[in-house]
Amino acid sequence: MEPARTPPDTLLIIFGANGDLSRRKLLPALYNLDAEGLVPRNWRVIGTARSEVSDDDFRQVAHDAIREHERCDFDDEHFGEFSQRLTFTSTDFRPGDTQVLADAVARSSHEFDDDPQLLLYLSTPPSTFGPITAGIGEAGLAKNARVVYEKPFGSDPASFAALDEIVRGVLREDQTYRIDHFLGKEMVQNLLAFRFANGAFEAMWNRAHIDHVQIDVPEDLGVDNRVAFYDKTGAIRDMMVTHLFQVLSVVAMEPPVRLRSGPLTDEKFKVFDSMRQLSADDVVIGQYDGYRDLEGVADDSATDTFVAARVHIDNWRWDGVPFFLRTGKALAAKEQLVTLAFRRPPATMFSEVPESGLERDHLTFDLSGGGAGFSFLAKLPGPALRLGRANMRFTYGETGSRLIGPYERLVHDALLGDRTLFTRTDGIARTWELVEPILDMRDPHPYPQGSWGPDAAVDLLLPRRWHMPQDPDRFSLPEI
Ligand code: BG6
């Protein structure tokens, strides 16, 4: 949120450094930050995991991952310099077995003029967060360190509470960085700019003008290469209680006094606090055909690969305005959309409303592409006063930095000690409480791969419908 500053010298320890997430997101983000000159003057990385990996192996892993996943042209010379900062320490880091890593940290610290700040990044499955945190405490690495946790933080209210207790026993809240990379997306931050930097939008951002809100994140890919993680997690935990709820809190919150960690997080918490606990009547879960055939998935797996939900926020601004959330795997398209649909005016003087007029005028934010669009009815050119649908679109085009994606932004913030875009323990506790009644839902509706999920998810919205700005005709309009 502030002009880019240079972080202090840092020793970064990545748990699960050769794993899927680190390869796809974290290592490329570090490379990009380095390319943009946003890294500390002196910094080193110790990658760690159970597997036997040498420094050279790890550099090769990083090389291949960055070539495959970074967003600019790969530069061998730059990578050569970058990779000299990477080392690897193989260890099964657990309470009672922490010395190997503690020694590696001590050795690496000698390569700095003064003691570096320690940033520990848990790029590991949620079930490991407790033991690794306890190990960090035992190894004496917690003092003044910051620890970044991937999501989900816990898997239900009870496991959250148990993990929270372990973490609180080792770290202060201001040392704890629970990451939700959707909060690092350019457009999520831009929602704040749209709402609070303009006279127009905030004035209509309430129940007097908004009929309903959609937060829609369909994904076209299945989970073939992530079964071990996904089958234990499912769409509610992987996406809804985390990314979708966090985005919802940014859409729905009251203006914070300042765009700083404390005031912003307070407002997001108030949204969670006003949300009604979800009930099975408000939720549709689904599972794509063929999911149970994947290797590692049981024949009777009840894992949800799709979820749609109707959420109510019982506060002054949103009373009576439903928020519809949807996400799922193996669907017809990949989109990340937030849509505010406006109330219809009583404009009965227009005799000919086009079919698309059944759709309300709406404002849509594209979280993946960074653009926004406003869709409305306008007069068709010609002698008669006939209506047609018109669109205004805003995109960044080439003006934004391609290199600063969510992970770059959030890792940079963690290096600087800026917690504005990270989640807080009370908010996470509340989100688990909100979904508790639906976590044990079984019998997901089957749906074909490449479809829009179960029909029941379309019914959940009636007489409204899921909105897709690019191609509204992909959907048959409901009878109303
Ligand atoms: C991750 C989820 O957190 O976010 C994935 O675990 C999901 O299941 C991904 O596909 C979506 O993020 P992105 O990178 O498309 O914004």
Side-chain angles (χ1 to χ4, degrees):
M1 298 264 166
E2 292 174 351
R5 287 183 280 133
T6 304
D9 291 353
T10 302
L11 177 54
L12 169 62
I13 300 159
I14 305 176
F15 294 89
N18 55 348
D20 176 65
L21 188 70
S22 169
R23 282 186 279 119
R24 276 190 300 119
K25 303 286 191 188
L26 194 51
L27 293 168
L30 286 171
Y31 179 81
N32 288 337
L33 284 175
D34 194 30
E36 291 278 287
L38 293 171
V39 286
R41 195 184 51 83
N42 191 4
W43 62 287
R44 314 263 149 184
V45 174
I46 303 177
T48 181
R50 220 178 323 176
S51 38
E52 284 297 326
V53 175
S54 68
D55 290 351
D56 283 344
D57 293 342
F58 181 46
R59 289 172 186 157
Q60 189 62 43
V61 166
H63 174 271
D64 297 349
I66 293 166
R67 276 208 92 123
E68 190 180 344
H69 297 292
E70 54 85 50
R71 289 185 288 274
C72 63
D73 295 334
F74 187 84
D75 183 307
D76 279 315
E77 200 180 322
H78 174 209
F79 180 80
E81 286 164 27
F82 170 86
S83 68
Q84 290 313 303
R85 311 211 173 248
L86 310 181
T87 57
F88 200 90
T89 298
S90 302
T91 172
D92 185 12
F93 187 78
R94 289 285 182 285
D97 194 3
T98 57
Q99 199 54 45
V100 176
L101 188 63
D103 290 346
V105 170
R107 274 196 308 278
S108 198
S109 298
H110 289 137
E111 297 179 46
F112 292 82
D113 296 337
D114 297 314
D115 280 349
Q117 70 169 354
L118 271 192
L119 183 65
L120 300 104
Y121 196 116
L122 275 63
S123 183
T124 52
S127 57
T128 64
F129 292 172
I132 293 179
T133 307
I136 290 170
E138 181 189 291
L141 298 177
K143 189 162 171 272
N144 298 329
R146 299 187 191 122
V147 182
V148 184
Y149 294 89
E150 268 299 333
K151 53 126 272 263
F153 195 83
S155 55
D156 53 30
S159 62
F160 163 79
L163 174 60
D164 194 46
E165 198 180 322
I166 296 174
V167 171
R168 280 166 187 259
V170 176
L171 303 166
R172 299 184 308 272
E173 176 66 14
D174 68 330
Q175 296 178 281
T176 313
Y177 287 66
R178 298 173 206 83
I179 208 165
D180 188 301
H181 80 272
F182 271 50
L183 291 177
K185 286 181 186 273
E186 192 76 15
M187 203 50 187
V188 174
Q189 288 191 288
N190 212 356
L191 276 166
L192 299 173
F194 259 80
R195 286 189 60 185
F196 303 132
N198 296 293
F201 297 116
E202 183 53 19
M204 53 198 187
W205 210 273
N206 56 54
R207 69 193 163 92
H209 301 282
I210 305 293
D211 174 79
H212 73 277
V213 177
Q214 298 184 14
I215 299 174
D216 195 13
V217 186
E219 298 187 279
D220 52 352
L221 296 181
V223 292
D224 310 35
N225 48 5
R226 299 173 68 210
V227 163
F229 163 79
Y230 198 86
D231 198 46
K232 282 198 232 86
T233 310
I236 294 177
R237 293 176 171 88
D238 183 40
M239 296 290 289
M240 192 174 85
V241 71
T242 49
H243 300 324
L244 272 58
F245 275 17
Q246 290 299 328
V247 172
L248 179 149
S249 70
V250 174
V251 175
M253 73 183 185
E254 296 301 314
V257 181
R258 268 175 293 280
L259 285 180
R260 291 272 181 280
S261 176
L264 195 94
T265 313
D266 286 347
E267 295 306 333
K268 286 171 54 205
F269 177 76
K270 287 183 207 162
V271 174
F272 297 137
D273 207 17
S274 327
M275 275 165 73
R276 215 179 288 169
Q277 235 188 3
L278 276 76
S279 81
D281 292 343
D282 286 323
V283 175
V284 173
I285 58 167
Q287 186 185 78
Y288 65 82
D289 295 338
Y291 175 76
R292 291 178 186 180
D293 301 334
L294 295 175
E295 202 181 320
V297 176
D299 292 346
D300 59 351
S301 168
T303 298
D304 46 317
T305 63
F306 175 98
V307 60
R310 179 171 42 217
V311 171
H312 302 279
I313 304 176
D314 294 326
N315 67 12
W316 192 262
R317 185 184 288 264
W318 297 114
D319 182 52
V321 180
F323 279 60
F324 295 103
L325 275 42
R326 174 172 74 169
T327 186
K329 303 287 185 190
L331 295 174
K334 178 171 168 68
E335 305 279 1
Q336 301 190 337
L337 303 173
V338 173
T339 298
L340 284 84
F342 291 91
R343 286 190 187 285
R344 280 205 206 104
T348 46
M349 67 285 258
F350 297 104
S351 49
E352 268 189 77
V353 177
E355 210 182 46
S356 59
L358 292 174
E359 244 179 52
R360 292 148 210 278
D361 38 331
H362 43 251
L363 189 57
T364 298
F365 298 88
D366 178 353
L367 305 185
S368 56
F374 185 45
S375 168
F376 53 98
L377 292 173
K379 179 187 171 298
L380 290 171
L385 207 174
R386 287 175 50 230
L387 299 179
R389 187 148 289 279
N391 291 295
M392 290 197 293
R393 282 194 65 72
F394 152 75
T395 58
Y396 277 109
E398 291 301 309
T399 51
S401 165
R402 282 184 309 141
L403 297 183
I404 300 303
Y407 272 85
E408 284 80 357
R409 185 188 317 283
L410 294 171
V411 170
H412 187 243
D413 285 354
L415 285 166
L416 288 172
D418 182 345
R419 300 180 69 245
T420 311
L421 299 174
F422 291 82
T423 61
R424 203 168 64 191
T425 182
D426 53 353
I428 304 286
R430 175 67 184 151
T431 53
W432 282 121
E433 198 175 286
L434 289 169
V435 295
E436 186 171 22
I438 59 161
L439 287 177
D440 289 331
M441 274 174 87
R442 291 284 173 269
D443 301 325
H445 295 262
Y447 64 93
Q449 295 187 32
S451 73
W452 286 102
D455 291 344
V458 174
D459 298 345
L460 191 71
L461 254 75
L462 290 176
R464 304 160 175 113
R465 67 190 189 91
W466 292 105
H467 167 71
M468 285 279 165
Q470 286 83 353
D471 182 7
D473 295 328
R474 268 198 302 223
F475 297 87
S476 56
L477 291 168
E479 299 286 323
I480 55 173

